[in-house]
Amino acid sequence: MPSPKKIDVKALNPILSNESPATNTDAIGIFDSGVGGLSIAQCIEQQLPNEHLLYVADTLNAPYGEKSTIFIQQRVNSIAQWFIERKVKAIVVACNTATVSAIDQLRKNISIPVIGVEPAIKPAVTISKSKKVAILVTKATADNQRFLALVAQYSHLSDVTVQPCPGLVELIEQDKKSSVECKLLLRTYLQPLLDKGVDTIVLGCTHYPLVKTLISEICGDSVAIMETAQPVTQQLQRQLASHLLINPNTALATTQFYSSKSGADQEALFSHILQRPVILNRYP
Ligand code: DGL
């Protein structure tokens, strides 16, 4: 794999537009750089139990938050291509970093619904009493113009601090989310926000709900923590309905899991997070 910095924009892989019309029994493709998107996949499984899901974790290339925009766009296009070859009816970009870096160009290239993750800034600035809100994000999201423009839309309503959290995704991917190391790292990022009087924290990376308990422990009950799995699931449902793509079969559907990094440890990580045995297939 070449260094992300050396990738030429002209080398960006185009998506083949060989889509045949989607049918309502087709699966939905969901992806993330790793296990973060499982927080969204779980919500979709619970609320749309008749929908077949294909989940791709691009773990070999995680963390996306430390990569260039061009590199992330290339990965997103490759995964979307793979989904299209499997004839999915919609794609959920279950990753904030991939959403801000690549969703606009992805939507231009394919015609099926593409649902992204938007951090819950609007509800956060609405409920914050101290009018001090923080968003925890990856470095790539913190540097992204699309994301910064979204933050700017709400900065007249509340003081909004963007807090990058480098190292956190790596610890979660290593199944060290309950470790002292993880707690110390989180405290480093959270304590200055608490000292500042922040009373509402937005989780702007889909990996972070997996350490929500730890975040709550550090911040205490008086700090509200905002996630996005629910609004993403509702948006998916609306998109499927408007394209007449809701699966009419009432039988329970299946979720198939794929990862670019195979191995027993990866299978154990998925099983640990989902609290059920998971068979992990090799992507691509
Ligand atoms: N879970 C992803 C996000 O929401 C990606 C994290 C990463 O790979 O850095 O940002």
Side-chain angles (χ1 to χ4, degrees):
M1 183 71 57
S3 151
K5 287 202 174 79
K6 288 188 187 147
I7 291 172
D8 184 343
V9 67
K10 289 182 196 133
L12 195 63
N13 45 339
I15 297 175
L16 299 177
S17 50
N18 61 346
E19 299 167 58
S20 53
T23 56
N24 52 20
T25 52
D26 294 337
I28 297 161
I30 307 176
F31 75 94
D32 177 45
S33 63
V35 290
L38 293 178
S39 54
I40 301 213
Q42 260 181 317
C43 189
I44 296 173
E45 279 182 342
Q46 281 158 12
Q47 293 182 22
L48 303 173
N50 310 322
E51 300 295 345
H52 294 284
L53 308 180
L54 293 181
Y55 184 93
V56 169
D58 192 15
T59 313
L60 212 54
N61 295 295
Y64 281 179
E66 302 295 321
K67 306 290 192 305
S68 69
T69 302
I70 295 295
F71 181 84
I72 298 164
Q73 289 180 348
Q74 271 198 323
R75 295 309 307 155
V76 168
N77 289 353
S78 291
I79 296 165
Q81 180 68 59
W82 186 87
F83 278 141
I84 286 166
E85 285 161 14
R86 271 145 200 84
K87 206 175 169 302
V88 299
K89 61 183 177 184
I91 294 177
V92 179
V93 183
C95 171
N96 293 78
T97 312
T99 299
V100 295
S101 306
I103 204 166
D104 294 334
Q105 56 95 37
L106 180 61
R107 283 188 175 133
K108 278 185 200 140
N109 287 319
I110 60 176
S111 59
I112 56 173
V114 178
I115 293 90
V117 192
E118 292 283 348
I121 309 179
K122 191 178 177 182
V125 298
T126 310
I127 67 156
S128 172
K129 290 198 178 73
S130 66
K131 293 296 163 206
K132 285 183 181 155
V133 167
I135 313 174
L136 309 185
V137 290
T138 65
K139 189 178 170 304
T141 299
D143 294 341
N144 183 278
Q145 288 309 315
R146 186 186 193 273
F147 168 71
L148 293 172
L150 181 74
V151 172
Q153 276 179 37
Y154 298 102
S155 50
H156 67 289
L157 294 172
S158 180
D159 177 56
V160 183
T161 305
V162 175
Q163 177 62 58
C165 303
L168 193 52
V169 165
E170 289 91 322
L171 288 175
I172 295 167
E173 287 293 328
Q174 290 161 20
D175 210 3
K176 289 186 182 163
K177 59 182 187 313
S178 307
S179 65
V180 174
E181 203 182 344
C182 190
K183 198 167 187 167
L184 287 174
L185 187 67
L186 269 172
R187 195 173 278 286
T188 312
Y189 297 136
L190 296 170
Q191 194 59 54
L193 304 174
L194 298 174
D195 293 345
K196 208 176 162 181
V198 162
D199 70 352
T200 311
I201 292 181
V202 179
L203 305 183
C205 166
T206 53
H207 277 74
Y208 301 165
L210 299 173
V211 287
K212 188 178 171 185
T213 311
L214 213 48
I215 296 174
S216 298
E217 264 173 43
I218 295 168
C219 295
D221 294 343
S222 56
V223 174
I225 299 169
M226 315 290 287
E227 296 184 49
T228 44
Q230 183 66 35
V232 171
T233 304
Q234 284 166 349
Q235 177 61 5
L236 170 65
Q237 191 164 18
R238 277 193 294 270
Q239 287 280 322
L240 292 178
S242 73
H243 289 81
L244 305 177
L245 287 173
I246 297 270
N247 192 338
N249 296 340
T250 51
L252 266 193
T254 57
T255 304
Q256 288 175 36
F257 297 94
Y258 292 81
S259 174
S260 55
K261 187 176 176 189
S262 51
D265 59 331
Q266 289 302 309
E267 221 162 54
L269 175 65
F270 272 67
S271 305
H272 186 191
I273 291 170
L274 292 174
Q275 296 287 292
R276 66 180 201 244
V278 168
I279 295 171
L280 200 53
N281 302 290
R282 184 65 197 247
Y283 166 86

